[in-house]
Amino acid sequence: MITLEDLYIFAGLVFAGFAILGALDRTNRKRFGNAAFWGLLAASFLFGSHIGDLANGVLVLALVLLGGTGALGLGQPRTTSPEERRASAQRRGNWLFAPALAITIIALLGTLFFKSIQIGGAALFDPKWLTLICLGLGVIVSLVIAMLWLKPPWLAPLQEGRRLADTIGWAAILPQMLASLGAAFALAGVGKAVGTVATNTIPLDQPFEAVAVYCTGMALFTVVMGNAFAAFPVMTAAIGLPLIVHKFHGDPAIMGAIGMLSGFCGTLTTPMAANFNIVPAALLELPDRNGVIKAQIPTAIPLLLANVVLMYFLVFRF
Amino acid sequence: MWTLLGIAVVVAGFAFRFNPLLVIAASALVTGVAAHLGPLEILAAFGKAFNDNRFVSVVFIVLPAIGLLERAGLQERARILIARLRGVTVGHLLLIYLAYRQIMAALGLVSASGGAAQMVRPLLAPMAEGAAQSRLGTLSDAVRYRIRALAAATDNIGAFFGEDIFIAMSSILLIKGFLEQNGIFIQPLQLSVWAIPTALLAFVIHGARILLFDRALHRDTGKTDAPQ
């Protein structure tokens, strides 16, 4: 069976390629910083499942110190000039889109149809991680098509990947770090403590107050944590269940669904949700790291208010 | 109550604009100490969490494929394509993409149907810039950045407010699991159905913003161009 672990090995090899080519790039004054960073990330993907928790902890600490102290620079892999790109775009036409769309199409079709493929009675792809595995498959197919058709130098995929990876830099591991912090918070019982504080300080005597505080609390706690998943158990245990459901007899399904979506409004406005907000700004080469957030806030705030109103009118009616 | 210090560290760290990686590490350390864990225990717990969450970073495998196509002029081609489609404005393009992304996410295809590295950088942003350019001529950097930011925002909003309509989405499973722990049993479908009203409102609110942006863009640029 092809599992998430196989995908990790593929990713580890790609990151190792970034590290080796980064170390050889003399145009980058900090080339060994880049090499160490991507090399450690490669080690995490290749060996993380076998080296034990403490070694993984040391590895993360090293990544944090490299990324946090500005040890990474910007490599300049050899690539094509703007003129060459324009000429190639003219010559090759709209077929250039095909390999890019192939990644998405294979991930889509794979998620829908590959679930039932079996070899020797066992599923070929781990159904739990099917979409991510099919995404990996799509990348491989896309690379093969592009290499055969475009005939670039054989190291070009890694060099071009490194060009993009260096523009993201240390922010690349930020999403994974935040997910890990959420796990650490859960372990220490941060959720329970927040619930106690919230219920002791805010007056919640009316159904509307409970709904408004629950939805706003979901959004605000998501802003702090960068993740609605971390906010949901905290706010629901603190306000959702005791007040909206038990005291005012609201419907738990409606509360849960709209409560989570209120959290998502918070996700749109916080740099803590780095994978959605900061990484795209880096990828799009925006000078303002918060450019994407600024484009999202005018949608997030009215939508949060709309969620409060929606929940108030729906949750006590069904 | 000392366990809450970790949250305070995050808030303060971001407010003072320290490097986020250092802020997170400091917050994890403070949280661990408040929970009476030793330094090595904290390091091991964080290492385990980092290792368990590798799937978050695995999406960077698309970079070599996208980079390779960019090398052959993918972004330039997107601009050529849109420049030829007369009548397509930035607003229409983003509105169509918003609907596509919400519908795909509702079908459970959220990570497959878009994303900043996969769709926005190589396709959507250059197409949006191309659409604006074919109508308004050369764009200033400020306008270019605003178009890119709105493209990324549209990708996020479409994903967030479509995905919970899909019954096997992880957030839906999290809600179901949490309610179950508290003695309330519901089917994922009940949760999915109640994600639809917010999804529709998200389309209306963000769609209206896209069209307003489009109108302002054409009006402003028209004004500044006129005297020249």
Side-chain angles (χ1 to χ4, degrees):
Chain A
M1 186 165 76
I2 295 173
T3 63
L4 190 61
E5 197 62 37
D6 298 311
L7 189 63
Y8 284 168
I9 290 170
F10 177 48
L13 293 174
V14 170
F15 297 150
F18 294 169
I20 293 167
L21 295 175
L24 298 173
D25 184 350
R26 288 176 190 281
T27 62
N28 178 10
R29 211 163 41 83
K30 297 177 173 176
R31 59 190 168 128
F32 293 116
N34 293 47
F37 183 85
W38 293 106
L40 282 169
L41 197 60
S44 167
F45 274 79
L46 291 172
F47 312 118
S49 307
H50 311 291
I51 56 178
D53 295 342
L54 192 60
N56 273 311
V58 173
L59 191 153
V60 181
L61 197 61
L63 278 172
V64 166
L65 290 177
L66 285 169
T69 57
L72 277 73
L74 204 56
Q76 286 178 330
R78 252 170 53 92
T79 184
T80 45
S81 68
E83 293 73 34
E84 288 172 302
R85 291 185 180 195
R86 269 195 292 276
S88 165
Q90 287 288 358
R91 192 168 69 247
R92 296 193 164 105
N94 291 332
W95 285 107
L96 270 176
F97 295 120
L101 291 173
I103 301 175
T104 294
I105 290 169
I106 289 167
L108 290 182
L109 294 180
T111 306
L112 291 175
F113 300 115
F114 286 2
K115 201 170 278 179
S116 51
I117 298 182
Q118 294 200 337
I119 285 187
L124 178 59
F125 302 106
D126 183 354
K128 240 178 93 186
W129 296 100
L130 191 59
T131 298
L132 275 183
I133 293 169
C134 292
L135 188 75
L137 208 64
V139 168
I140 293 171
V141 170
S142 172
L143 277 173
V144 169
I145 295 173
M147 288 301 283
L148 291 175
W149 176 39
L150 303 171
K151 299 194 176 62
W154 66 276
L155 273 177
L158 285 175
Q159 291 286 22
E160 299 292 337
R162 178 167 75 91
R163 178 171 60 79
L164 298 182
D166 278 358
T167 60
I168 304 173
W170 57 262
I173 61 162
L174 196 46
Q176 197 182 337
M177 286 289 292
L178 285 163
S180 312
L181 183 64
F185 276 10
L187 201 69
V190 170
K192 263 185 224 143
V194 170
T196 317
V197 172
T199 38
N200 288 345
T201 48
I202 311 167
L204 297 161
D205 304 325
Q206 300 294 322
F208 182 77
E209 288 172 359
V211 166
V213 170
Y214 176 62
C215 292
T216 322
M218 272 298 298
L220 288 179
F221 207 75
T222 304
V223 167
V224 174
M225 300 286 296
N227 189 336
F229 290 14
F232 184 80
V234 176
M235 290 308 298
T236 308
I239 297 168
L241 286 177
L243 296 174
I244 298 178
V245 172
H246 293 135
K247 188 172 174 192
F248 300 119
H249 308 292
D251 180 85
I254 296 174
M255 175 202 69
I258 300 179
M260 184 63 92
L261 292 166
S262 303
F264 288 2
C265 293
T267 314
L268 292 174
T269 68
T270 176
M272 293 292 287
N275 48 340
F276 298 113
N277 297 335
I278 304 299
V279 172
L283 268 174
L284 294 172
E285 290 162 48
L286 301 183
D288 181 0
R289 211 170 59 154
N290 293 319
V292 174
I293 292 176
K294 284 175 187 160
Q296 287 171 167
I297 287 176
T299 296
I301 291 173
L303 195 54
L304 177 62
L305 297 177
N307 274 332
V308 172
V309 174
L310 265 184
M311 189 188 290
Y312 180 65
F313 280 108
L314 295 174
V315 79
F316 303 116
R317 195 150 299 188
F318 291 90
Chain B
M1 283 308 108
W2 290 111
T3 47
L4 293 181
L5 270 181
I7 295 180
V9 169
V10 170
V11 174
F14 271 80
F16 288 107
R17 293 179 168 265
F18 286 117
N19 180 290
L21 296 182
L22 298 177
V23 173
I24 293 167
S27 172
L29 178 68
V30 168
T31 305
V33 170
H36 304 294
L37 294 175
L40 287 183
E41 284 175 292
I42 298 172
L43 199 58
F46 201 77
K48 179 176 165 32
F50 188 81
N51 196 53
D52 288 345
N53 283 294
R54 282 178 294 174
F55 66 91
V56 176
S57 301
V58 84
V59 291
F60 290 120
I61 52 173
V62 304
L63 294 181
I66 298 303
L68 190 58
L69 293 168
E70 285 188 6
R71 184 181 197 280
L74 182 69
Q75 296 185 349
E76 286 73 9
R77 189 66 219 176
R79 296 197 181 99
I80 294 171
L81 179 71
I82 289 299
R84 283 186 187 165
L85 290 174
R86 279 165 190 270
V88 174
T89 65
V90 189
H92 292 151
L93 181 73
L94 293 182
L95 202 60
I96 292 167
Y97 186 80
L98 179 64
Y100 154 86
R101 190 86 164 108
Q102 281 196 292
I103 290 167
M104 286 297 178
L107 298 172
L109 303 169
V110 63
S111 54
S113 64
Q118 227 175 310
M119 278 297 243
V120 182
R121 179 180 162 116
L123 295 171
L124 187 64
M127 282 171 84
E129 283 180 43
Q133 211 162 322
S134 70
R135 286 233 164 171
L136 308 168
T138 312
L139 305 172
S140 69
D141 278 348
V143 168
R144 203 175 279 284
Y145 294 143
R146 282 189 66 200
I147 292 174
R148 288 185 195 172
L150 191 63
T154 303
D155 183 69
N156 278 337
I157 289 162
F160 288 7
F161 298 100
E163 64 176 26
D164 271 13
I165 297 173
F166 183 60
I167 52 171
M169 190 45 64
S170 51
S171 50
I172 290 291
L173 300 177
L174 179 101
I175 299 171
K176 179 180 154 60
F178 179 80
L179 292 177
E180 233 165 62
Q181 285 164 25
N182 289 279
I184 297 169
F185 295 90
I186 47 170
Q187 288 302 316
L189 190 62
Q190 288 173 278
L191 292 168
S192 301
V193 166
W194 293 112
I196 294 174
T198 303
L200 294 175
L201 283 175
F203 184 79
V204 170
I205 291 170
H206 193 65
R209 276 195 59 220
I210 288 171
L211 294 178
L212 287 175
F213 173 81
D214 203 17
R215 198 189 283 177
L217 190 66
H218 287 81
R219 194 183 52 222
D220 292 351
T221 320
K223 261 185 215 154
T224 49
D225 279 355
Q228 289 168 357

